[in-house]
Amino acid sequence: MKSASPDLSYLAPDYIRAIAPYQGGKPISELAREMGLQEADIVKLASNENPLGISPKAETAIQEALLDIARYPDGNGFALRSVVADKFKLKPEQIVFGNGSNDILELAARAFLTPACEAIYAQHAFAVYPLVTQALGAHGVEVPAKDYAHDLPAILAAITAKTRLIFIANPNNPTGTLIDKADLLAFLQQVPPHVLVVLDEAYDEYLSEEDKSQAFAWLAEFDNLIVSRSFSKAYGLAGLRIGFAACHPSVADMMNRVRQPFNVNSVAQAAAMASLADDDFVARSYALNQAGMLQITKGLEKLGLSYIPSYANFVSFAVKDAAKVNQALLKNGVIVRPIANYGMPDYLRVSIGLFSENARFLSVLAQILQSHP
Ligand SMILES: *Cc1c(COP(=O)(O)O)cnc(C)c1O
């Protein structure tokens, strides 16, 4: 039966209809269409992508892998699995691959949440946690942040008999905050065994040697820990979609059962493998980010704007009329990320780009603030 203006959304369960769609960074092509701009004149600092692109080794691996795309990928990722296991001192059976680490977050939710369960995440934490929780009809518990950071004692206090998952982003997106290592360890020691902790470390490569996560080693102590890593950020493979989790083999087994057999394509597997062999590219990305972070934060200070000190490759800054400033930036070909949907309507998040991109962002922002202070 065909009606004039069909709306079949009522066929979906209430908890699906209640999902607020994910708002990503505006694609360059879309802004070009909307504003009649040349794509080459647009600077996108909105999705925490690597301004250096990808490792040259990954580029070669991609070219080679393209020759074989008529074949299905290795659904178990055998070759990549052994490289990841070697590099991070894991057992192959501890590893789960995802179509981006967002897939990992969803696999954890699908394997362990039912409508009778609760999942905990912090206010101002990554938007995908409530999304995957709600998609399962489970109850999401948002714990208020403390100075824009995770409040670990409050998260512990929110645990009930129904809690199955706690999502923690470290560093967190969009606030860039990092949890002190000793605090995180003490927290894990207090989480009861019926609760799994998903530790989302998408930005670990941007941490200093001293701050870098030791969570892979902690897996020996905590059977209920799931560590999630991404190839989208420092490795620059955002468009290929690949990430992985490391956890107890029995937890990995459950996540693999709900995983689509070919969720990670062959080109992504080859690129990830080559990327892990290019420490130099990661080191260059880290160094560029350190310099760019300094450039942008100094620039924000000069404009009299306050920001949340960040450990990642982006920084969120406060600005009067954030929505209006965002529109003005767009009009001038600069894409940043408004984060009102993260409960931060007075902030914009800017990713660290190339020196010239950062400079363009700062000069356009200065102009905007001058014309409507
Ligand atoms: C960007 C980001 C990811 C990465 O997602 P992918 O699916 O791997 O691209 C995961 N977690 C957080 C907190 C992020 O900011």
Side-chain angles (χ1 to χ4, degrees):
M1 186 61 189
K2 201 150 167 73
S3 65
S5 57
D7 179 356
L8 304 185
S9 60
Y10 71 93
L11 294 173
D14 286 346
Y15 58 81
I16 298 294
R17 279 189 286 169
I19 293 176
Y22 180 79
Q23 299 168 331
K26 190 186 273 291
I28 290 176
S29 54
E30 186 179 312
L31 183 66
R33 275 198 308 276
E34 283 176 3
M35 299 282 179
L37 298 168
Q38 294 297 318
E39 291 197 10
D41 295 336
I42 294 174
V43 167
K44 183 185 177 207
L45 299 173
S47 300
N48 306 339
E49 295 148 340
N50 190 332
L52 291 181
I54 67 172
S55 151
K57 290 186 179 168
E59 221 165 296
T60 307
I62 287 169
Q63 294 299 340
E64 212 166 294
L66 280 176
L67 301 175
D68 209 27
I69 53 170
R71 306 262 176 218
Y72 277 98
D74 176 352
N76 292 314
F78 180 84
L80 175 60
R81 185 177 297 272
S82 57
V83 169
V84 170
D86 271 1
K87 177 134 187 148
F88 300 107
K89 301 188 179 68
L90 298 164
K91 293 194 209 90
E93 62 272 22
Q94 286 183 289
I95 300 164
V96 181
F97 291 109
N99 191 263
S101 60
N102 278 316
D103 195 24
I104 294 297
L105 304 174
E106 194 186 10
L107 294 178
R110 285 179 46 219
F112 295 104
L113 295 181
T114 71
C117 296
E118 294 171 357
I120 301 176
Y121 38 80
Q123 180 191 20
H124 313 310
F126 191 39
V128 172
Y129 310 150
L131 274 179
V132 297
T133 300
Q134 215 169 343
L136 274 297
H139 184 60
V141 177
E142 183 183 285
V143 172
K146 201 171 156 190
D147 298 327
Y148 291 105
H150 284 83
D151 183 347
L152 295 181
I155 289 174
L156 283 175
I159 294 173
T160 72
K162 292 180 179 172
T163 309
R164 283 295 171 277
L165 289 180
I166 299 175
F167 290 102
I168 291 186
N170 201 42
N172 184 45
N173 174 16
T175 60
T177 52
L178 183 74
I179 301 168
D180 178 81
K181 228 175 273 181
D183 291 348
L184 188 54
L185 196 54
F187 167 81
L188 290 171
Q189 280 159 349
Q190 292 171 77
V191 172
H194 74 278
V195 179
L196 293 159
V197 177
V198 179
L199 192 57
D200 179 349
E201 301 185 330
Y203 300 97
D204 189 72
E205 296 79 10
Y206 285 115
L207 295 174
S208 68
E209 277 313 310
E210 176 187 26
D211 285 334
K212 267 197 207 317
S213 168
Q214 288 164 6
F216 287 139
W218 294 350
L219 288 169
E221 189 178 342
F222 303 107
D223 294 341
N224 59 344
L225 176 61
I226 301 172
V227 182
S228 169
R229 292 287 183 96
S230 174
F231 286 95
S232 298
K233 304 292 156 58
Y235 294 107
L237 300 177
L240 276 182
R241 316 301 305 128
I242 178 162
F244 71 93
C247 52
H248 190 273
S250 63
V251 173
D253 181 19
M254 292 302 107
M255 288 169 68
N256 275 319
R257 290 187 199 200
V258 294
R259 183 177 65 80
Q260 284 193 32
F262 303 111
N263 64 327
V264 181
N265 69 73
S266 48
V267 182
Q269 291 185 31
M273 213 153 46
S275 298
L276 289 174
D278 195 347
D279 290 340
D280 176 62
F281 178 77
V282 177
R284 281 193 286 131
S285 304
Y286 171 82
L288 183 76
N289 188 62
Q290 290 291 104
M293 180 66 80
L294 207 60
Q295 180 191 4
I296 287 197
T297 51
K298 286 250 182 291
L300 292 172
E301 282 165 22
K302 232 174 100 186
L303 293 173
L305 298 173
S306 69
Y307 57 87
I308 305 168
S310 170
Y311 287 84
N313 65 340
F314 55 83
V315 58
S316 291
F317 60 97
V319 64
K320 226 174 72 185
D321 271 330
K324 225 162 134 184
V325 170
N326 181 52
Q327 276 309 313
L329 285 166
L330 288 174
K331 219 178 266 174
N332 286 282
V334 176
I335 313 176
V336 300
R337 184 75 76 91
I339 47 176
N341 59 327
Y342 282 91
M344 298 171 67
D346 304 323
Y347 281 83
L348 294 174
R349 189 195 73 191
V350 62
S351 306
I352 309 303
L354 299 171
F355 181 85
S356 58
E357 296 172 324
N358 302 336
R360 166 92 179 278
F361 156 74
L362 286 169
S363 82
V364 171
L365 182 62
Q367 263 171 35
I368 292 167
L369 297 179
Q370 246 164 27
S371 49
H372 11 217

